[in-house]
Amino acid sequence: VRVENFRVIKEFGSRFRYRLLISFRSDKQTPDFRGRFQLAISYLNAGKVFQLMLPDRQESGIDYQLEIKSILRREGVFELPAGAVLQGAEVRVLQGDTLKSKRLAQL
């Protein structure tokens, strides 16, 4: 499984949209990939660096589940606190607790 493309685009204010393209090369033993993805977003607010993890503990994480046969596109939005400046974003593809792929965002 590979993250082919990951972009983060500012919409308005402190709201951002992410777009993600994940590919999977199947074989006879594993016809599809089942796992989840996670976003790690770092931002600067009041002179300090913070990190936001999505899904967080309050979210169910259903929107972050993956089932891929060949190619999967996902997009969504996240919001930072008012006045925060986005520093970077990384997507991680996990199967159980095993990291399978990761990629830094194009900002």
Side-chain angles (χ1 to χ4, degrees):
V1 67
R2 281 186 48 178
V3 178
E4 299 291 337
N5 197 354
F6 178 45
R7 292 178 186 234
V8 175
I9 302 153
K10 186 171 185 171
E11 286 193 327
F12 56 87
S14 58
R15 184 179 168 129
F16 294 84
R17 176 169 300 279
Y18 66 87
R19 292 191 174 130
L20 175 63
L21 179 67
I22 303 172
S23 68
F24 176 68
R25 184 172 291 160
S26 63
D27 59 24
K28 290 181 182 179
Q29 293 178 344
T30 53
D32 60 354
F33 173 83
R34 291 171 198 243
R36 62 190 168 93
F37 73 96
Q38 182 180 64
L39 298 175
I41 298 142
S42 59
Y43 62 93
L44 187 66
N45 194 9
K48 294 182 181 177
V49 176
F50 295 92
Q51 188 168 40
L52 172 67
M53 296 296 288
L54 296 174
D56 64 8
R57 289 188 177 96
Q58 285 93 25
E59 291 180 292
S60 66
I62 292 172
D63 293 336
Y64 297 88
Q65 297 296 316
L66 300 172
E67 188 170 333
I68 308 169
K69 294 204 182 288
S70 62
I71 294 176
L72 179 70
R73 293 180 192 270
R74 283 286 172 92
E75 71 176 67
V77 294
F78 63 89
E79 220 165 305
L80 296 179
V85 177
L86 181 67
Q87 296 288 301
E90 180 180 65
V91 64
R92 300 171 185 154
V93 177
L94 302 138
Q95 190 170 39
D97 288 332
T98 305
L99 179 66
K100 295 294 187 176
S101 182
K102 67 180 181 175
R103 186 167 185 139
L104 293 172
Q106 296 173 359
L107 302 176

